[in-house]
Amino acid sequence: MIDTPVNLREVGRLRVLEALHAAPRSSRPELVRVTGLSRATVSSLIADLIAVGLVTEDEGADETEPRRTGRPAQSLSLVPSAGYAIGADIGHQHVRVILCDLFGAVLWEHWVAKEVDRAPEETLDLVAVLVGRALQETGVPRTRVLGIGAGIASPVELGSGALGAEGIMPGWVGLRLTDELRRRTSLPVRVTNDANAGALAERMYGAGRDAGDMVYVRLSAGIGAGIVSNGRLLLGARGLAGEIGHLPLTADGLICRCGNRGCLETVASPVAIARLLSDSWGHPVAPRDLPGLIQQRNTGALRAVRDAGDAVGRALSMLVTLLNPQLVVVGGDLASAGEDILEPMRAGVRRHTLPSAGEGVRIVTGGLGDGAEVRGAAGLVLADAPQLLSGAPAVAAEPA
């Protein structure tokens, strides 16, 4: 086997792009310090990156570090339009697609109500149509798109990208979402489950920006957790870490759609809460009715939501004990209940964990609302933007 020689200039180029991606505004002296490259090398690489349209510099802009003498350092930053990412959020009853620039600013967004679980072909065709609309309506060339990130309400196996959708999304079992979307869009595709996407978004743009160890809990028709450990998503051996919705809470509980009995989803999802209220009141209550009932301070609905919060807290206590996060961020449909669900969750965590671990973790609602999952899907691509840009200068430099 012949080793490929290392191209030191390409390595240096990647280091500069990584530094500019991490700190949106920098300067040549700062890049020398951060990358460990020589001043001459940084100046040469910056000249090349400016020439191909990846980097811009501003005259007289604020410096990252004060200077006492000499000519003020010019501010350098990546060009937001040097690359784009598409995010797709595929839920049980909706599809949402966005187009973002290099810094994650949303330039185009569209949401469609769709019964997804038994209609994979129609759903993926719809995603492809929305991708085409996004590019057409914004004028972004397809060659500038670094890729599509897709978050889906199903476990996703690492490596193969196969969906572990048995009982969860029946029509999608075994489907390889990466291959299907790539075939329809001719773009690179990355896939994760929706809770991991939400965790990534809250870590990059939302409530978890300052938290290296956090758990994102999505409380919707499905309940899942995205785990960030030491600043990185924790996926597990097969990519299935964080499926807390299927932790068993009650030995004699209802049969879950996963086939087990008494899972968290059977007592704490919006579907479970609505079913409980329907049985108690003798008339239908839909999950979409819950926000209005909570806002009206309906005592029965409040009790059901608080009981659900306690159940989620008990499940979370296992993660808090095992992982010791500093922050838990709550998203999904039930996050709109605010303190009515957060306080029982906090109490449940405190009651079932070591005092030092339970008292040390903060539990808050997410900062991105129902857009967390789709922004995190795009973030799958944007997180690797330096590597993707470093190998494609001609693509990034094409005129818009």
Side-chain angles (χ1 to χ4, degrees):
M1 180 177 179
I2 300 175
D3 291 334
T4 303
V6 175
N7 187 319
L8 295 179
R9 189 166 184 82
E10 289 181 1
V11 172
R13 176 189 178 92
L14 177 57
R15 285 188 191 174
V16 169
L17 287 170
E18 287 174 336
L20 288 171
H21 190 248
R25 302 191 76 82
S26 190
S27 65
R28 286 174 178 82
E30 178 67 8
L31 290 174
V32 170
R33 185 184 70 80
V34 170
T35 64
L37 301 171
S38 70
R39 184 179 302 177
T41 298
V42 167
S43 294
S44 176
L45 289 169
I46 287 297
D48 289 347
L49 292 170
I50 290 173
V52 298
L54 292 179
V55 171
T56 185
E57 62 181 339
D58 299 325
E59 295 280 353
D62 293 339
E63 297 185 55
T64 56
E65 295 180 348
R67 293 168 59 97
R68 296 183 180 179
T69 60
R71 182 171 178 265
Q74 293 168 309
S75 177
L76 300 166
S77 61
L78 292 175
V79 176
S81 59
Y84 299 87
I86 291 170
D89 173 29
I90 303 172
H92 294 288
Q93 296 180 318
H94 75 270
V95 170
R96 187 193 302 262
V97 172
I98 62 171
L99 174 69
C100 295
D101 70 14
L102 200 57
F103 294 133
V106 178
L107 308 178
W108 186 95
E109 180 172 5
H110 196 75
W111 182 94
V112 178
K114 173 71 178 172
E115 292 296 333
V116 167
D117 289 1
R118 299 183 183 276
E121 296 294 331
E122 292 178 14
T123 300
L124 294 174
D125 288 345
L126 173 60
V127 172
V129 168
L130 293 176
V131 169
R133 278 186 54 188
L135 299 180
Q136 181 179 23
E137 293 176 14
T138 59
V140 170
R142 189 174 292 262
T143 51
R144 289 274 189 97
V145 179
L146 301 177
I148 298 174
I152 187 166
S154 165
V156 180
E157 290 201 9
L158 196 63
S160 72
L163 303 182
E166 294 87 349
I168 298 173
M169 299 176 74
W172 297 70
V173 176
L175 186 144
R176 297 182 187 274
L177 187 56
T178 303
D179 297 339
E180 294 290 337
L181 277 178
R182 186 188 297 121
R183 179 172 61 82
R184 286 171 168 82
T185 64
S186 301
L187 290 168
V189 178
R190 302 184 183 196
V191 177
T192 191
N193 74 34
D194 51 3
N196 284 336
L200 183 61
E202 291 290 350
R203 167 69 175 146
M204 293 175 72
Y205 312 115
R209 279 175 290 184
D210 299 322
D213 293 273
M214 61 167 273
V215 174
Y216 174 81
V217 182
R218 177 174 168 81
L219 302 178
S220 290
I223 296 178
I227 302 166
V228 176
S229 178
N230 197 26
R232 299 176 64 87
L233 276 175
L234 183 64
L235 301 176
R238 297 179 62 188
L240 306 178
E243 291 293 335
I244 66 167
H246 301 289
L247 290 177
L249 284 194
T250 55
D252 58 349
L254 297 176
I255 299 295
C256 181
R257 57 185 175 173
C258 74
N260 292 323
R261 182 183 290 278
C263 295
L264 177 63
E265 278 189 13
T266 67
V267 296
S269 69
V271 174
I273 296 171
R275 180 179 60 238
L276 173 64
L277 294 177
S278 297
D279 293 343
S280 298
W281 293 346
H283 63 79
V285 177
R288 64 176 178 271
D289 299 329
L290 295 179
L293 291 169
I294 294 167
Q295 188 174 17
Q296 296 162 18
R297 314 308 292 165
N298 179 281
T299 56
L302 289 173
R303 175 59 188 269
V305 166
R306 289 166 183 162
D307 286 350
D310 177 74
V312 175
R314 280 186 283 143
L316 271 178
S317 69
M318 303 179 199
L319 293 187
V320 171
T321 298
L322 291 172
L323 302 171
N324 188 213
Q326 64 197 101
L327 179 69
V328 173
V329 179
V330 180
D333 297 338
L334 285 182
S336 63
E339 290 299 313
D340 289 313
I341 196 162
L342 293 182
E343 190 48 45
M345 288 173 61
R346 295 182 188 119
V349 167
R350 288 194 299 266
R351 189 163 57 249
H352 297 287
T353 60
L354 290 171
S356 56
E359 294 294 337
V361 63
R362 292 189 300 121
I363 301 179
V364 302
T365 53
L368 303 175
D370 62 3
E373 284 72 28
V374 75
R375 291 193 66 186
L380 286 173
V381 176
L382 294 177
D384 290 333
Q387 292 89 337
L388 297 171
L389 289 172
S390 67
V395 171
E398 289 183 5

